[in-house]
Amino acid sequence: MEEIDLPPGFSRPELIDFEGITMNHYFTNSWEKVQNFQARPDDILVATYPKAGTTWVSYILDLLYFGNTAPERQTSLPIYERVPFLEITIPKVLEGVEMVEKLTTTPRLIKTHLPVQLVPKSFWEQNCRVVYVGRNAKDTAVSYFHFEEMNLIHPDPGDWINFLQMFMDGKKIFGPWYDHVCGWWEKKQTYSNIHYMFFEDMVEDTGREVEHLCSFLGLSKAKEERERITKGVHFDAMKENKMTNYSTIPVMDFKISPFMRKGKVGDWKNHFTVAQNEKFDRHYKWKMKNTTLQFRTEI
Ligand code: A3P
């Protein structure tokens, strides 16, 4: 593993309140540029709450569009450069808007974790296609906890008990999981260009989900190609692949935890105590009482 080489003066940032959403400055520094971002009609936005399988779907999309035409991309360009993270700004490391604007490929694949109300309006004006991925709250929380421990641009999560309470209170970066998944679900009811996917479905049958993605995107791919992609995006393959496992990025400390950690549905059972689970379930029922959106916590 490469040594971590952080820019001078780098430290874990404070949380801030931004438009009612918990954030830190790495995601708001370039807000004017983000807000004024000019989407193109063929842009594809990959939108998720953190830890829902963003990288997985990003890689699938990249292979669907560029797997055959640009093989050198697969060996030389990390996924976070192929599918830039729009709102991130870590000076000299990752500058999302600039990275998107430098893309020479069509379509441009763009990642965001923004809640639906903060998405730059040009995406809606241009009627861009959006792929949203949701993951059940319990596994998301567990994955996010380990991610905050190792990702130095996030605040130190403290212990699991502290983290879980903050997650339930919606005080994690990108705000409450509950509002995020529900906000995008509601948007889908009035904006038909959203394909709402679930991490659990992808684990259950990746090939089926790749096929559904192709239908949404209007791509006709031979069965053999879909199977090749499905194999290439398997957890074990992505974990070994330096271009998809984030090992080339300086802000993550792999000595604490790998980015490609477990990739399972139900790992929450190894973290939640019985009491925590009961409390979480009661709170969840209350938070999600007005939505038709359903998640699976096991498959
Ligand atoms: P875990 O921490 O539970 O392992 P994101 O890309 O949104 O940050 O999501 C990261 C989560 O997706 C991590 O979850 C990671 O292991 C999981 N993941 C990434 N690629 C995967 C794959 N091919 N199969 C299963 N899970 C995958």
Side-chain angles (χ1 to χ4, degrees):
M1 193 59 53
E2 288 167 25
E3 279 304 304
I4 296 189
D5 181 20
L6 296 171
F10 191 92
S11 62
R12 282 191 185 253
E14 296 292 312
L15 293 180
I16 54 173
D17 180 275
F18 182 78
E19 310 257 343
I21 300 294
T22 301
M23 285 287 211
N24 73 38
H25 69 85
Y26 291 115
F27 306 104
T28 59
N29 270 344
S30 302
W31 191 245
E32 225 173 273
K33 277 193 212 165
V34 171
Q35 230 180 356
N36 296 326
F37 177 75
Q38 286 308 305
R40 297 180 193 152
D42 48 13
D43 285 345
I44 298 175
L45 188 65
V46 181
T48 59
Y49 190 77
K51 311 321 292 172
T54 330
T55 314
W56 195 2
V57 169
S58 299
Y59 188 38
I60 293 173
L61 288 171
D62 186 70
L63 289 175
L64 283 172
Y65 281 102
F66 309 115
N68 292 335
T69 51
E72 72 292 345
R73 207 176 151 85
Q74 305 307 323
T75 49
S76 62
L77 261 194
I79 192 67
Y80 51 82
E81 291 185 32
R82 296 182 218 171
V83 187
F85 185 177
L86 184 68
E87 61 271 18
I88 202 166
T89 304
I90 312 173
K92 300 194 173 64
V93 179
L94 292 175
E95 306 196 39
V97 172
E98 280 82 356
M99 288 167 75
V100 174
E101 284 169 352
K102 276 190 202 139
L103 289 176
T104 52
T105 44
T106 304
R108 301 187 299 187
L109 305 173
I110 304 169
K111 158 182 163 178
T112 186
H113 285 320
L114 291 172
V116 70
Q117 70 277 15
L118 295 184
V119 169
K121 63 178 187 322
S122 63
F123 283 102
W124 313 125
E125 288 165 357
Q126 299 294 338
N127 197 30
C128 295
R129 280 168 299 182
V130 181
V131 177
Y132 186 84
V133 193
R135 184 182 192 183
N136 80 73
K138 293 179 187 177
D139 283 326
T140 299
V142 168
S143 181
Y144 206 168
F145 171 64
H146 291 289
F147 184 66
E148 286 206 323
E149 287 189 310
M150 62 84 87
N151 186 341
L152 308 178
I153 66 163
H154 277 249
D156 185 334
D159 62 18
W160 165 245
I161 298 174
N162 174 62
F163 176 93
L164 188 59
Q165 191 58 53
M166 285 184 79
F167 183 91
M168 290 166 68
D169 292 343
K171 298 291 182 209
K172 288 285 127 196
I173 293 180
F174 295 105
W177 174 91
Y178 313 89
D179 296 355
H180 205 285
V181 294
C182 291
W184 279 96
W185 183 250
E186 274 162 36
K187 183 76 182 174
K188 179 183 146 66
Q189 316 309 318
T190 53
Y191 182 86
S192 59
N193 252 352
I194 296 180
H195 181 60
Y196 202 109
M197 304 176 67
F198 296 92
F199 180 91
E200 294 73 25
D201 292 348
M202 292 185 29
V203 172
E204 184 177 69
D205 190 342
T206 312
R208 177 191 63 205
E209 295 308 309
V210 170
E211 201 178 339
H212 290 169
L213 252 182
C214 287
S215 312
F216 170 68
L217 299 167
L219 294 173
S220 70
K221 294 278 173 191
K223 189 160 173 258
E224 295 69 38
E225 191 179 345
R226 279 192 273 110
E227 283 172 357
R228 201 165 53 244
I229 291 174
T230 301
K231 208 167 144 210
V233 304
H234 189 272
F235 180 84
D236 299 335
M238 283 182 65
K239 191 176 171 76
E240 290 307 310
N241 182 345
K242 271 188 103 170
M243 295 297 119
T244 58
N245 66 14
Y246 274 84
S247 60
T248 52
I249 205 162
V251 296
M252 295 182 188
D253 188 345
F254 279 57
K255 288 196 269 323
I256 300 174
S257 172
F259 176 84
M260 296 290 300
R261 197 183 57 90
K262 286 196 179 171
K264 299 258 184 269
V265 179
D267 187 39
W268 62 270
K269 292 176 190 166
N270 299 316
H271 290 75
F272 282 67
T273 63
V274 172
Q276 282 168 358
N277 192 38
E278 284 173 2
K279 185 176 169 192
F280 192 91
D281 282 347
R282 277 195 304 276
H283 178 257
Y284 186 93
K285 216 168 153 185
W286 170 67
K287 291 295 286 182
M288 300 291 277
K289 66 178 187 304
N290 292 326
T291 184
T292 54
L293 180 58
Q294 301 276 334
F295 286 90
R296 293 190 285 168
T297 52
E298 48 196 299
I299 53 173

